Amino acid sequence: MSIHSSVILGTNVEVGEYAVIEMGVRIGDRVTIGAHAVIKEGTVIGDDVEIGDHVVLGKRPGSNKKMARKPATELPPLAIDNEVVIGSHVTLYRGLSLAEGVFIGDHVSIREQIFIDRHTIIGRHAMIEPNTRIGKNVTIQTGCYVTADTIIEDHVFIGPCCSMSNDKYMASGKGTHTGPHIKAHAKIGNHATLLPAIVIGEHAVVGAGAVVTKDVPEKAVTMGNPARVKS
Amino acid sequence: MSIHSSVILGTNVEVGEYAVIEMGVRIGDRVTIGAHAVIKEGTVIGDDVEIGDHVVLGKRPGSNKKMARKPATELPPLAIDNEVVIGSHVTLYRGLSLAEGVFIGDHVSIREQIFIDRHTIIGRHAMIEPNTRIGKNVTIQTGCYVTADTIIEDHVFIGPCCSMSNDKYMASGKGTHTGPHIKAHAKIGNHATLLPAIVIGEHAVVGAGAVVTKDVPEKAVTMGNPARVKS
Amino acid sequence: MSIHSSVILGTNVEVGEYAVIEMGVRIGDRVTIGAHAVIKEGTVIGDDVEIGDHVVLGKRPGSNKKMARKPATELPPLAIDNEVVIGSHVTLYRGLSLAEGVFIGDHVSIREQIFIDRHTIIGRHAMIEPNTRIGKNVTIQTGCYVTADTIIEDHVFIGPCCSMSNDKYMASGKGTHTGPHIKAHAKIGNHATLLPAIVIGEHAVVGAGAVVTKDVPEKAVTMGNPARVKS
């Protein structure tokens, strides 16, 4: 292990082989940290957290010259609340906050400027872009892509491999970027596609494989390509 | 390296830098193990196996309070037969059995209670859920998602980025969970979507991007959203 | 760290904890290399390159008995030009060449016999197959799958989670393998599906979720399943 002298460790913390814990990290009680974990500067971890092998926690965003959207440079440290479970090979950015009991599957990557509320499940290999809010008791299943600038309210269910976008003009520099807004208790079927700025109403259901090009009223069921509301 | 004193190593085993091999692991002859590999308690590895860098082999499933389906707690060790090839950044769970000559691409994750038969290929970044049986000489291409409770028979071909689901009611607590049953020699085009409990007949062909909402007869060709059999 | 005695390091190179740098690797000036990085034999890295944690650079392709397409055995070393940025958990193969300023997101895997031109962005979790050419100032967003034998010209934009294929007969052994040819300035919407050998014309637009089964003329807009050109 390589643990910086400034790190604050609680009681009964288990740190895996070859883990790297950087300056100013604070770790609560009864936390387990996997082998080869990399926990970056300033990350704050609560009590009873389980962290898998080969994770990278607290990464800062990078960029190149072509990138139109420059990442934020001033970001608060990654904050992981009590009883969070994090799988293997996960990348979590600085500027992310995970509330109590959140579950993050293996191979997930989650960017900055995001809050994920209590007990929400993020399935394996899911990808979540910046500037997004995800409510409590949400399920985002394996392989989902959540675009930037998205709102997902409480108790939403998103099936595996769904995709979303936030830029109607596809990097033409026109318009603003707005992801979908998925209201409470909505259910999205597997492999569905949501276009930018779509609002999915409360308790609405989107069928598997649907391509949703316009708003879906509350409690409505929509399916097909383009998706049409079933009457 | 960190190799527990109880580990049994065959002859001509090469272990990469900073690998971690836990208690009770048994490794056959002429096995190569990549750098930073983590091989967990009790894993059994045959002869002539190639294991990439940064793998996690023999992980136990985790859960949080919201999760309806609690993972099995009593699982046999991960079993890897002779001549298996495993890529980099792979996560394989305890309770998985890989038969002779199976190929697992980079960045794959495979859960527990699964058997994968001889010479089958699992493409890079594929995600396979629990309680599933995959036959021999199957190809599951890059980026596929195989849901839980699925049967894939021998000689099936699944193109890249296909998705499946197993819960018609999307976590409403109604009905049972059943994934697709894909019969021998069926071919599934890239990016297809299969709904729960669908049966794809022997030698049937599903077109690229199809959304399959009902059973497909043997030798039939189906395409579209919803998919319709071509006459 | 484990750095082979033959490695040539420039000035102001920072190497992360537990990194493994193999025989004959050459690294330029002002390069940062993350923790647990594995840089394989002969890899050539320019100046001002940033490399994330847990990467595998310069991997050789593997295979099993079932695989019809045997990977090339004679491959030049992985070549990474100046100012390239590489995320965490990335796998790059031998026989890949990245031009100046390319950006590779986290969890990406890129195979052999590929050239990626200047300032192109490859989003997180993207998967790129062998024998492919990608132009300059291209954006391939998060979660995309680029099949083998593909040509992507300059200034193309590919939205998140798009998929492509290159084998019309799905491993039947008939026909040749040809991926799509996407011409300059074309834009592909998120979660679109492109069939083998499709040509997407210059400045053409493919809608989100479209399943493109035939060529798209230049400047045309196409959408639906199967996709139809909007008149």
Side-chain angles (χ1 to χ4, degrees):
Chain A
M1 281 111 72
S2 166
I3 303 183
H4 191 272
S5 61
S6 63
V7 170
I8 299 172
L9 286 177
T11 57
N12 296 309
V13 173
E14 291 176 37
V15 181
E17 304 265 14
Y18 309 117
V20 177
I21 308 184
E22 294 185 2
M23 194 169 58
V25 170
R26 284 186 288 147
I27 298 175
D29 298 337
R30 297 170 304 279
V31 170
T32 58
I33 296 172
H36 305 282
V38 178
I39 305 183
K40 295 191 178 277
E41 189 187 335
T43 298
V44 179
I45 298 172
D47 298 332
D48 302 294
V49 170
E50 296 173 32
I51 295 172
D53 305 304
H54 294 293
V55 300
V56 175
L57 305 186
K59 182 176 173 171
R60 284 178 194 274
S63 67
N64 78 349
K65 282 181 186 163
K66 180 184 181 328
M67 228 167 262
R69 181 171 180 151
K70 294 300 172 198
T73 51
E74 294 288 326
L75 290 166
L78 170 64
I80 298 172
D81 209 337
N82 299 337
E83 295 178 29
V84 166
V85 178
I86 296 174
S88 67
H89 303 97
V90 165
T91 303
L92 304 181
Y93 278 67
R94 203 176 164 89
L96 164 66
S97 177
L98 302 178
E100 190 177 307
V102 165
F103 183 94
I104 307 288
D106 311 319
H107 301 263
V108 162
S109 67
I110 308 182
R111 293 284 304 266
E112 67 276 11
Q113 295 172 307
I114 297 177
F115 174 66
I116 302 181
D117 210 347
R118 285 185 296 160
H119 305 299
T120 281
I121 295 168
I122 309 292
R124 287 177 299 138
H125 299 255
M127 307 151 259
I128 304 184
E129 298 285 15
N131 193 32
T132 284
R133 193 192 181 294
I134 299 177
K136 67 185 182 202
N137 293 312
V138 168
T139 298
I140 294 180
Q141 286 209 332
T142 300
C144 279
Y145 173 74
V146 176
T147 188
D149 316 301
T150 294
I151 300 168
I152 299 175
E153 295 188 3
D154 298 345
H155 307 290
V156 163
F157 174 92
I158 304 183
C161 308
C162 291
S163 176
M164 310 175 189
S165 53
N166 69 340
D167 179 8
K168 193 175 167 184
Y169 300 99
M170 297 196 242
S172 301
K174 289 184 281 190
T176 56
H177 288 195
T178 314
H181 179 169
I182 306 176
K183 294 200 168 178
H185 297 280
K187 292 180 184 295
I188 315 290
N190 79 304
H191 229 188
T193 306
L194 307 183
L195 272 79
I198 293 297
V199 178
I200 310 284
E202 287 194 16
H203 291 278
V205 175
V206 172
V211 177
V212 184
T213 60
K214 53 186 185 185
D215 292 354
V216 180
E218 61 173 343
K219 295 182 185 163
V221 177
T222 193
M223 53 186 62
N225 180 359
R228 296 191 195 286
V229 170
K230 207 174 147 184
S231 53
Chain B
M1 281 110 72
S2 166
I3 303 183
H4 191 272
S5 60
S6 63
V7 170
I8 298 173
L9 287 176
T11 58
N12 296 308
V13 173
E14 290 176 37
V15 181
E17 304 265 14
Y18 309 116
V20 177
I21 308 184
E22 294 186 0
M23 193 169 59
V25 170
R26 283 186 289 147
I27 298 176
D29 299 336
R30 298 169 303 279
V31 170
T32 58
I33 296 171
H36 304 283
V38 178
I39 305 183
K40 294 192 179 274
E41 188 187 337
T43 298
V44 179
I45 298 173
D47 298 331
D48 303 294
V49 170
E50 296 173 33
I51 295 171
D53 304 305
H54 292 295
V55 300
V56 175
L57 304 186
K59 183 177 173 171
R60 285 177 194 274
S63 68
N64 77 348
K65 282 182 188 164
K66 180 184 181 331
M67 227 167 263
R69 182 172 178 146
K70 294 300 174 200
T73 51
E74 294 288 327
L75 290 166
L78 170 63
I80 298 172
D81 209 337
N82 299 337
E83 295 177 30
V84 166
V85 178
I86 296 173
S88 67
H89 303 97
V90 165
T91 304
L92 303 181
Y93 278 66
R94 202 177 164 90
L96 164 67
S97 177
L98 302 178
E100 191 177 306
V102 164
F103 183 93
I104 308 290
D106 311 319
H107 301 263
V108 162
S109 68
I110 308 183
R111 294 283 304 265
E112 67 277 11
Q113 295 172 306
I114 297 177
F115 174 67
I116 301 181
D117 210 346
R118 284 185 297 160
H119 306 298
T120 281
I121 296 168
I122 309 294
R124 286 177 300 136
H125 299 254
M127 305 150 261
I128 305 185
E129 297 285 14
N131 192 30
T132 284
R133 193 192 182 293
I134 299 178
K136 67 184 182 204
N137 294 311
V138 168
T139 299
I140 294 179
Q141 287 209 332
T142 300
C144 280
Y145 173 74
V146 176
T147 188
D149 315 301
T150 293
I151 299 169
I152 298 174
E153 295 188 3
D154 299 344
H155 308 288
V156 162
F157 175 90
I158 304 183
C161 309
C162 291
S163 176
M164 310 174 188
S165 54
N166 72 339
D167 180 7
K168 194 175 169 184
Y169 300 100
M170 297 195 243
S172 301
K174 289 185 281 190
T176 56
H177 288 194
T178 313
H181 179 169
I182 306 176
K183 294 200 168 178
H185 298 279
K187 292 181 184 298
I188 316 290
N190 79 303
H191 229 189
T193 305
L194 307 183
L195 272 77
I198 292 297
V199 179
I200 310 284
E202 287 194 16
H203 292 277
V205 175
V206 172
V211 177
V212 184
T213 60
K214 54 186 184 184
D215 292 354
V216 180
E218 61 173 343
K219 295 180 185 162
V221 176
T222 193
M223 52 186 63
N225 180 359
R228 297 192 195 284
V229 170
K230 208 175 147 185
S231 52
Chain C
M1 282 111 73
S2 165
I3 303 183
H4 191 272
S5 61
S6 63
V7 170
I8 298 172
L9 287 177
T11 57
N12 295 309
V13 173
E14 290 177 37
V15 181
E17 304 265 13
Y18 309 117
V20 178
I21 308 185
E22 293 185 2
M23 194 169 57
V25 170
R26 283 187 289 148
I27 298 175
D29 298 337
R30 297 169 304 279
V31 171
T32 57
I33 296 171
H36 304 283
V38 178
I39 305 183
K40 294 192 179 275
E41 189 188 335
T43 297
V44 178
I45 298 172
D47 298 331
D48 302 294
V49 170
E50 297 173 33
I51 296 172
D53 304 304
H54 292 295
V55 300
V56 176
L57 304 185
K59 182 176 173 171
R60 285 179 194 273
S63 67
N64 77 348
K65 282 182 186 164
K66 179 182 181 330
M67 228 166 262
R69 181 172 179 148
K70 294 299 174 198
T73 51
E74 295 288 326
L75 290 166
L78 171 64
I80 298 172
D81 209 338
N82 299 338
E83 295 178 30
V84 166
V85 178
I86 296 173
S88 67
H89 303 97
V90 166
T91 303
L92 303 181
Y93 278 67
R94 203 176 164 89
L96 165 67
S97 177
L98 302 178
E100 191 177 306
V102 164
F103 183 94
I104 308 289
D106 310 319
H107 300 263
V108 162
S109 67
I110 308 183
R111 294 282 305 265
E112 67 278 11
Q113 296 172 307
I114 298 177
F115 174 66
I116 302 181
D117 210 346
R118 284 184 298 160
H119 305 300
T120 281
I121 296 167
I122 309 293
R124 287 177 298 136
H125 299 255
M127 306 151 260
I128 304 185
E129 298 285 15
N131 192 32
T132 284
R133 194 192 179 296
I134 300 177
K136 68 184 181 203
N137 294 311
V138 168
T139 299
I140 295 180
Q141 286 208 333
T142 300
C144 279
Y145 173 74
V146 176
T147 188
D149 316 301
T150 294
I151 300 168
I152 299 174
E153 296 188 4
D154 298 345
H155 307 289
V156 162
F157 175 90
I158 304 183
C161 308
C162 291
S163 175
M164 309 175 188
S165 53
N166 71 341
D167 180 7
K168 193 176 168 185
Y169 300 100
M170 296 195 242
S172 300
K174 291 185 281 192
T176 55
H177 287 194
T178 313
H181 179 168
I182 305 176
K183 294 198 168 180
H185 297 280
K187 292 181 185 295
I188 316 289
N190 79 304
H191 229 190
T193 304
L194 307 183
L195 273 77
I198 293 298
V199 178
I200 310 284
E202 287 194 17
H203 291 278
V205 175
V206 172
V211 178
V212 184
T213 60
K214 54 187 185 184
D215 292 354
V216 181
E218 60 173 344
K219 295 181 184 162
V221 176
T222 193
M223 53 186 64
N225 178 359
R228 297 192 195 285
V229 170
K230 207 174 147 185
S231 52

